[in-house]
Amino acid sequence: MVAKQTSRAQTFRPTSADPTSARPAARTAAGAGRPRRAAPAPAPVPAPLRRAHTDLTRARIQAAAAALLDDGDAAAITFKAVAARAGVTEMTVYRHFPTRDDLLKGLWEHLNRAMAPGIGMPASLADLRAQHHALFAGFDRIPAQIVASLTTPQGREMRAALNAQRVAAFSAIVAERAPGLGAAERRRAAAILQLLHSAYAWLSLREQWGLSGNDAGRATLWAIDTLVADLAARSTTKGRRP
């Protein structure tokens, strides 16, 4: 009886329904040598989305620099501090603004956008007049940051980074309107024209006369128009001299 049971155990063959069947294992073993199909590559990010992300990161960095300007610390606007404030890596800041001058110019762009659309270095007298009222009203919109840009070391450093561009822009306006004037006279006129179209004029009229940005803008635009008319008349007179 025992021998018969042993014989049955030895001759047992698994059926296809048996979960211990060797057939699935055999199929797996047979396919082991086949190369696996590579996972599909991720779809490329559309260019508009990449650009939007880049612009958003740049704006965060500029806003962080502006916030540090508000703090009033003379050494506050560093790449490390801006990165920490913006929540990005320091390398990301360098990627958008490779030098400190670039970073400070980016801060200036941010302040202009915060004041009003279209604010920037004027390319002509018409451009200057078109944005003058919006510029002075914009100073009232972010007064703390404007005052900081005039009175703190980092603010003055930001303004100094734009000196060459500023001198070239206002010198070109005067040369266009009064070509008959001598070089020294044109330089003096350009300096006064730039002062009248600046935050320094706004701050002086605000602190000493209590004028709002709108009133200060009207007063300074009147002075600009008076200056330009005088320059044009003097240029014409000098041009007629033998």
Side-chain angles (χ1 to χ4, degrees), residues 122-125 128 168-178 193 228:
S124 65
L125 180 62
L128 182 152
F170 286 89
S171 296
I173 292 173
V174 171
E176 175 193 358
R177 304 301 297 185
L193 182 62
V228 169

Side-chain angles (χ1 to χ4, degrees), residues 2-206:
V2 174
K4 288 182 179 181
Q5 291 176 346
T6 304
S7 175
R8 290 179 181 175
Q10 290 174 345
T11 59
F12 172 77
R13 295 290 186 270
T15 65
S16 58
D18 191 336
T20 62
S21 173
R23 290 180 183 177
R27 284 198 300 270
T28 302
R34 298 175 185 172
R36 292 187 176 181
R37 184 176 299 175
V45 178
L49 290 181
R50 289 200 306 271
R51 182 62 187 172
H53 177 73
T54 299
D55 291 346
L56 180 61
T57 302
R58 180 183 177 88
R60 285 175 59 189
I61 293 169
Q62 291 172 311
L68 290 170
L69 179 64
D70 281 343
D71 291 346
D73 182 2
I77 305 177
T78 65
F79 283 87
K80 183 177 181 180
V82 169
R85 195 70 167 251
V88 300
T89 65
E90 196 169 345
M91 183 57 65
T92 299
V93 179
Y94 276 108
R95 189 159 54 245
H96 286 269
F97 304 99
T99 68
R100 181 168 177 79
D101 271 2
D102 291 329
L103 180 60
L104 293 174
K105 289 176 182 177
L107 172 57
W108 183 78
E109 292 171 0
H110 172 83
L111 295 179
N112 282 342
R113 284 198 306 270
M115 287 188 291
I119 298 297
M121 204 69 72
S124 65
L125 180 62
D127 187 20
L128 182 152
R129 295 189 83 264
Q131 63 174 274
H132 189 79
H133 283 303
L135 176 69
F136 274 69
F139 291 148
D140 276 356
R141 197 166 291 119
I142 50 171
Q145 291 179 348
I146 297 302
V147 171
S149 75
L150 300 174
T151 60
T152 65
Q154 67 270 30
R156 288 193 291 270
E157 185 183 2
M158 175 196 70
R159 299 183 65 82
L162 294 154
N163 273 351
Q165 184 181 353
R166 187 178 295 111
V167 168
F170 286 89
S171 296
I173 292 173
V174 171
E176 175 193 358
R177 304 301 297 185
L181 298 182
E185 199 167 6
R186 287 201 306 269
R187 181 174 178 81
R188 290 193 295 270
I192 293 297
L193 182 62
Q194 185 269 317
L195 177 61
L196 290 170
H197 188 68
S198 74
Y200 284 106
W202 165 81
L203 182 60
S204 179
L205 294 173
R206 173 189 172 96

